[in-house]
Amino acid sequence: MRKALLDWLDDRTGYRAMVHSMLFENIPGGSRWRYVWGSTLVFAFAVQLITGFFLWASYSPSSQTAWESVYYIQYQTSGGALLRGIHHFMAQAMIILLALHMLQIIIDGAYRAPREVNFWIGLILLQIVLGLSLTGYLLPWDQKGYWATKVATNIMLTVPIIGPSLQRIVVGGAEYGHHTLTRFFALHAGLLPALMMFFIVAHVYVFRRHGIKFKEPKRAADTHFWVDQLLKDAIACLAVLIVVIVLILWRGAELGAPANPSEPYSAARPEWYFLFLYQFLKLETFAGEREVLGAIVVPGLVMLILFLMPIVGRWKLGHRFNVAFLFALLLGVVILTYRAVAEDRSKKDYQAAVEMAQKDSERIKDLANRPTGIPATGAVSLLREDAYTQGPKLFKAHCASCHRYDGHDGTGFVPDPVKQPQTATDLKGFGSRQWLSGILDPKKVDSPNYLGAAKLKNGKMVKFVKKDVPDYDKNDLAKVIAALSAEAQLPYQRQQEQLDVTSIKDGRQILLKADPIRCLDCHGFAGKESDEANTPNLTGYASRQWLIDFISNPGHERFYGKKNEMPAFGLKKILDEKSIAMLVDWLRGDWYEPGQPAAAPTTAPTSAPATKPAP
């Protein structure tokens, strides 16, 4: 029955002849490891088709659901991280396998007559693979993919005459957004794979028509594809898969923070296989209007030379030129890639941006994993309203020109002291016991962390601390510091304050008596006003509301009055209320570690009488 069925199938399709032709193809000189690269490429593409299909089953291609669906695949679907990891790293493996395959083909002279058409089909397949890599990069819709794709597609603007129209067609309009994503997805999951399959079939067909090219004298007898070469191909494919699995276990497929077009992304770089072109375009030779030379003309000439290789390679000298050109091209790619990586490693601002991007990536995963999940407004709204994420960025943009945060700009980058000299205090731990102990320490008060900036170093507060504080009783001073710090109600000091109720109470009494510690000679506190103008009232000092009011209008009489030189961020509408609140919450630590859902305090401390609010 089985034989009759197979005979019927063979009669209708001729499958036996096709299988025999494939398995018993002649291998001149016997099987070779150098012949495995074509098979590994077909294997890699087959893996991409299979994994891509299952990813497609859970992927939602829209600007408000793409990142969320990838997050679901990666972190909530059983085996999703492995599935996406295989797809992610196998795509990168294809680039390397392509380079090795082309190297073997040209060195062996397998591009020359009568195999010219097959070589040209291979060049088309190279372009399709690069197209798949570029379009797939955007699909997670994270910051890295979004901004890198924006940079890549902006290169189209350099094309003479049709550049702007071409870019608009690819982007789907004037702005990058939903239509950009859907068009890239249509290319990545539809058109390009279809073209890839068509040209792979054509490639294999033309290849089998002319057989394997072997340029060296035979050192062994001819064999068939089955079983030696097939075994080598299978081992090579298994090795590629093992390398991919190791990369998944070591690093995993990256998923950055969701794309946020309103927030510039300084860490944007293309994937490593496009880094050479990114570095190439940075050369001064291609600056300004000459960018079209580096972006269009030079790559076009390279492809033209590759296309002409079968013709040039007809002669021995031409073949040597082709081999030398390919090695020079690959060496140039390696050198440019190395230079791009080395330059980025030496740029402190770039490294700070990478570190911030990594923090955002980890933060959004934590926020999305909480019981409340991802809101209908999308995952990006979680970061836009998160003090832990936005605080450092707001500090860098609006505060780091004068202040520092633990010596840096909030994001980890130390500003250039020439361009942005520190002229105000370091705000790390502002209002905490440690910070107050430092500003009341005669040995530390004039350091950069406190009042060591040029405008503050010789001020009245520094003179007071150096002259009077050394005479104060250390226990009384510690109680005053505890009382002042308690006004802030800092979240990371609450447990300590609950244990020091007596010390805090005693410290308040010492302050109010103004004897022997005479802080209230200049400052107001707990309803007791000072005759000294232009000094901050210490009631609710460094509390959430105190800081919000202070940043909104530091020139109010409750704070520095006419002496103030700080911008009124709220009064002048430099920052809106939400941004000021997020900045304050970050400075105070009123954001919460993973797994600790809690509400930040929204009012001034109730332990002190209310004071006149700043408008």
Side-chain angles (χ1 to χ4, degrees), residues 433 473-487 497 499-517 519-520 525 607:
R433 293 191 183 192
D473 181 88
K474 291 184 178 179
N475 290 329
D476 286 348
L477 185 62
K479 291 177 181 179
V480 167
I481 290 172
L484 283 175
S485 182
E487 293 291 303
E497 289 167 3
L499 300 175
D500 291 346
V501 174
T502 302
S503 294
I504 293 170
K505 183 178 179 181
D506 292 345
R508 286 175 56 80
Q509 291 177 349
I510 293 171
L511 273 171
L512 290 170
K513 286 195 304 180
D515 185 28
I517 296 178
C519 294
L520 301 194
F525 179 70
S607 59

Side-chain angles (χ1 to χ4, degrees), residues 174-451:
E175 300 293 334
Y176 290 78
H178 174 76
H179 291 297
T180 312
L181 179 62
T182 54
R183 292 186 183 203
F184 271 60
F185 180 67
L187 288 171
H188 186 79
L191 179 61
L192 292 178
L195 290 174
M196 186 83 169
M197 287 186 284
F198 173 80
F199 282 105
I200 284 177
V201 171
H203 194 59
V204 172
Y205 170 77
V206 177
F207 163 74
R208 297 192 64 80
R209 178 177 174 82
H210 299 291
I212 294 177
K213 167 68 176 177
F214 189 71
K215 78 167 195 173
E216 297 177 2
K218 295 181 182 180
R219 298 181 181 178
D222 293 1
T223 60
H224 295 132
F225 181 74
W226 175 274
V227 63
D228 290 348
Q229 189 60 50
L230 179 62
L231 179 61
K232 285 182 172 64
D233 288 358
I235 292 173
C237 292
L238 179 62
V240 170
L241 183 60
I242 289 173
V243 170
V244 167
I245 297 297
V246 169
L247 287 172
I248 296 169
L249 296 176
W250 176 39
R251 298 186 61 180
E254 182 182 5
L255 179 62
N260 185 359
S262 64
E263 187 174 286
Y265 185 72
S266 303
R269 292 292 186 274
E271 269 288 11
W272 61 267
Y273 40 81
F274 287 128
L275 263 182
F276 76 95
L277 183 58
Y278 169 79
Q279 186 68 19
F280 185 66
L281 293 175
K282 287 167 62 178
L283 298 176
E284 292 184 8
T285 308
F286 308 117
E289 295 180 356
R290 298 190 300 274
E291 185 180 7
V292 66
L293 297 176
I296 306 298
V297 176
V298 174
L301 288 174
V302 170
M303 288 307 302
L304 178 62
I305 293 174
L306 291 175
F307 180 83
L308 294 175
M309 275 186 174
I311 300 173
V312 176
R314 291 176 180 177
W315 300 277
K316 189 174 183 179
L317 185 61
H319 173 67
R320 290 178 179 175
F321 168 81
N322 289 340
V323 174
F325 176 81
L326 183 62
F327 273 101
L329 181 63
L330 293 176
L331 180 62
V333 168
V334 171
I335 291 173
L336 287 170
T337 302
Y338 172 79
R339 286 187 60 182
V341 173
E343 283 186 15
D344 283 343
R345 285 179 177 172
S346 66
K347 293 178 180 177
K348 293 182 179 180
D349 53 345
Y350 172 75
Q351 293 299 325
V354 170
E355 183 178 347
M356 181 57 64
Q358 183 63 31
K359 288 180 179 178
D360 287 355
S361 176
E362 295 302 320
R363 182 63 172 174
I364 186 59
K365 293 165 192 172
D366 167 53
L367 294 172
N369 194 43
R370 293 185 177 185
T372 51
I374 299 173
T377 51
V380 69
S381 64
L382 290 174
L383 288 181
R384 284 175 176 164
E385 299 175 5
D386 179 43
Y388 177 74
T389 303
Q390 299 303 323
K393 298 170 186 176
L394 290 167
F395 186 91
K396 177 180 180 179
H398 301 284
C399 308
S401 58
C402 299
H403 293 276
R404 296 291 181 270
Y405 184 88
D406 199 19
H408 55 77
D409 66 355
T411 66
F413 174 61
V414 179
D416 186 338
V418 176
K419 295 180 180 179
Q420 291 182 305
Q422 183 178 352
T423 59
T425 55
D426 191 302
L427 296 179
K428 172 69 180 297
F430 179 72
S432 67
R433 293 191 183 192
Q434 182 178 0
W435 192 90
L436 288 168
S437 297
I439 203 170
L440 291 174
D441 186 336
K443 296 180 180 179
K444 296 180 180 179
V445 64
D446 57 355
S447 71
N449 285 344
Y450 302 103
L451 301 178

Side-chain angles (χ1 to χ4, degrees), residues 8 22 35 77 149 156 169 173 237 303 360 417 426 443 453 458 497 509 608:
W8 175 86
M22 287 187 294
Y35 297 155
T77 303
T149 302
M156 294 179 183
I169 291 171
C237 292
M303 288 307 302
D360 287 355
D426 191 302
K443 296 180 180 179
N458 299 314
E497 289 167 3
Q509 291 177 349

Side-chain angles (χ1 to χ4, degrees), residues 32-43:
R32 299 265 176 144
W33 286 107
R34 65 201 296 171
Y35 297 155
V36 303
W37 305 119
S39 297
T40 55
L41 275 168
V42 174
F43 167 75

